[in-house]
Amino acid sequence: MTGDRSERTGSAGAASGHGTTGGTPSRRRWLRAVGAGATALLGGCLTAVTDESDDERRTGSLSFAGSSPTYGVDAVRRGATDGGVDGRPALRWRVPFDRRIASTPAVVGDRLYVGCSDEHLYALDATTGERAWRYHAGRDVRSSPAVAGDRVFVGGMDGSVVGLSRADGHVAWRLSTDRGVFASPAVVDGVVYVGDIGGTTYALDAESGDALWTVETDGPLFCSPAVADGTVYVADYDRVLYALDAATGRVQWRSRVDDYVYTAPTVADGAVYVARRGVTAFDAATGERRWSVGDDRTGCSPAVGDGSVVVTKRTVRALSPADGSTQWEFEPDAAVTASATVGGGVVFAGDSDGTIYGLDAASGTERWRVSVRNGIGVAPTVVGGALFVVTSPVDGAVYGFEGP
């Protein structure tokens, strides 16, 4: 296929910090409603309030090391990264958009990739926020992109899954599914795994886009698959968690979940964690339920790192992986409507009023906070020394912060 739906950057628009848009927004209100549902000790701490006047949308450049190539950092969706941010971060750049962003950024090399409801996937220079290129998908892009090799993979609400060139957004291949694709693809060993809201899970060849196998589940799939040790874990809206053989798609086991699910499973240390009505831990090999705690509904996947399972809702809570008991709990100023990220001994979480907290991973004590104008709707992306944050009301923005 040709790359005529990809636009290289020029000197205007988002390249100067003002996000340009194209195409016509989706008018299917039920999809908007689904998207909205699916993307929900101060002593001595330091507070920084970013200056967000229109004349100061970019204040410099940042540097970092490492990568976060997909939603949840990696294919197991742990939400844990090796590198963190040491101390209170400072704003380096901001890129505004005039549509909602429900996509968690992927950062690889010097590029940040993020989807927007203005029907585009954007590639930004992660150090400056300058736009490198954008791809016109034709419908909302609520799928978080996944990056592997020289490709970017993303789904669209038009029912497509595409493999794009990282360099310029050229379309390498495009697959049409039966329904819209809300989930973020997982890419492991040259295979792209993704589900659509019609209830089909696909295994696609990353190079060609050819389907290797498909599996139908009982209910729609809004959540991203997790892939670990040759098994693909998907949870559907019919309250079932599936373990599929990554090579063949064969169902290895299935277990009931307490409520319908649109949060990605998290796999760590032989367990699969699913959050919806509370948090439940399943044995990754057998599907046997190990423990279940809480009764509050959440639309946020757990993050697992530094010896804790971190869950978010009204508060940020760290649970023991062994039995689900509470290790610590932090109450922010407003509800946390996105998953947390763990890295470098810090838990990063953003609330609906636009405050990003850096919490001590061992104790839950607040180390620092920074504030932006609007609420945080997706998990913070943390890459060795840098923090990337997305606000996602009607008009979203992407922020690049750098640690001291």
Side-chain angles (χ1 to χ4, degrees):
M1 298 188 65
T2 63
D4 57 351
R5 299 178 78 180
S6 171
E7 305 168 27
R8 296 298 298 274
T9 188
S11 59
S16 62
H18 303 268
T20 59
T21 62
T24 303
S26 167
R27 297 182 181 274
R28 295 191 180 184
R29 294 183 178 178
W30 73 271
L31 286 177
R32 291 187 185 277
V34 168
T39 55
L41 307 170
L42 292 176
C45 74
L46 301 175
T47 301
V49 178
T50 61
D51 184 343
E52 288 202 309
S53 67
D54 289 345
D55 293 334
E56 298 188 44
R57 286 173 173 169
R58 178 173 295 118
T59 59
S61 62
L62 57 82
S63 62
F64 59 90
S67 65
S68 181
T70 189
Y71 170 73
V73 181
D74 51 29
V76 300
R77 313 295 186 192
R78 286 185 60 165
T81 178
D82 292 335
V85 176
D86 295 327
R88 186 188 67 196
L91 177 67
R92 296 299 184 225
W93 55 259
R94 171 182 179 264
V95 177
F97 293 78
D98 63 2
R99 292 291 187 274
R100 184 172 184 266
I101 302 174
S103 169
T104 299
V107 178
V108 176
D110 62 354
R111 289 285 184 267
L112 178 149
Y113 306 90
V114 67
C116 183
S117 61
D118 71 354
E119 306 183 353
H120 288 84
L121 175 76
Y122 289 84
L124 306 179
D125 185 314
T127 65
T128 65
E130 299 285 342
R131 195 180 87 197
W133 53 260
R134 67 178 183 176
Y135 163 73
H136 184 204
R139 289 286 301 279
D140 294 16
V141 181
R142 303 190 181 191
S143 167
S144 298
V147 182
D150 60 357
R151 297 277 171 83
V152 182
F153 305 94
V154 72
M157 294 308 295
D158 64 343
S160 67
V161 181
V162 293
L164 306 173
S165 165
R166 281 181 56 195
D168 58 11
H170 176 94
V171 181
W173 55 259
R174 182 177 186 273
L175 173 79
S176 295
T177 72
D178 292 336
R179 298 287 182 88
V181 178
F182 194 97
S184 175
V187 188
V188 177
D189 296 332
V191 180
V192 180
Y193 302 93
V194 69
D196 67 21
I197 60 176
T200 302
T201 298
Y202 300 82
L204 310 174
D205 183 274
E207 185 64 27
S208 66
D210 293 339
L212 304 177
W213 53 258
T214 62
V215 170
E216 301 291 332
T217 57
D218 293 338
L221 295 169
F222 295 108
C223 72
S224 304
V227 184
D229 300 325
T231 301
V232 182
Y233 300 92
V234 295
D236 70 10
Y237 215 60
D238 201 42
R239 309 184 183 195
V240 179
L241 173 65
Y242 296 82
L244 310 175
D245 185 280
T248 66
R250 179 181 62 85
V251 178
Q252 297 175 333
W253 54 259
R254 50 185 290 169
S255 295
R256 294 292 296 178
V257 184
D258 292 335
D259 205 344
Y260 55 86
V261 180
Y262 54 73
T263 61
T266 301
V267 186
D269 303 321
V272 184
Y273 301 95
V274 178
R276 181 49 184 156
R277 187 179 290 281
V279 182
T280 303
F282 297 89
D283 187 282
T286 66
E288 179 181 357
R289 183 177 295 219
R290 292 183 175 180
W291 52 258
S292 185
V293 297
D295 193 47
D296 292 338
R297 282 181 169 172
T298 179
C300 307
S301 297
V304 182
D306 289 339
S308 299
V309 179
V310 180
V311 295
T312 54
K313 175 63 175 176
R314 176 62 187 88
T315 64
V316 182
R317 190 157 47 113
L319 308 177
S320 166
D323 58 12
S325 59
T326 298
Q327 298 172 329
W328 55 258
E329 187 167 14
F330 173 81
E331 185 166 351
D333 293 343
V336 177
T337 55
S339 299
T341 302
V342 182
V346 177
V347 173
F348 302 83
D351 72 19
S352 58
D353 280 349
T355 301
I356 305 101
Y357 303 88
L359 309 177
D360 186 276
S363 66
T365 302
E366 182 177 325
R367 292 185 177 182
W368 51 259
R369 64 169 66 187
V370 293
S371 296
V372 293
R373 182 184 302 164
N374 292 310
I376 311 301
V378 302
T381 299
V382 183
V383 182
L387 168 67
F388 300 96
V389 174
V390 169
T391 58
S392 44
V394 175
D395 300 334
V398 180
Y399 297 76
F401 290 88
E402 185 177 21

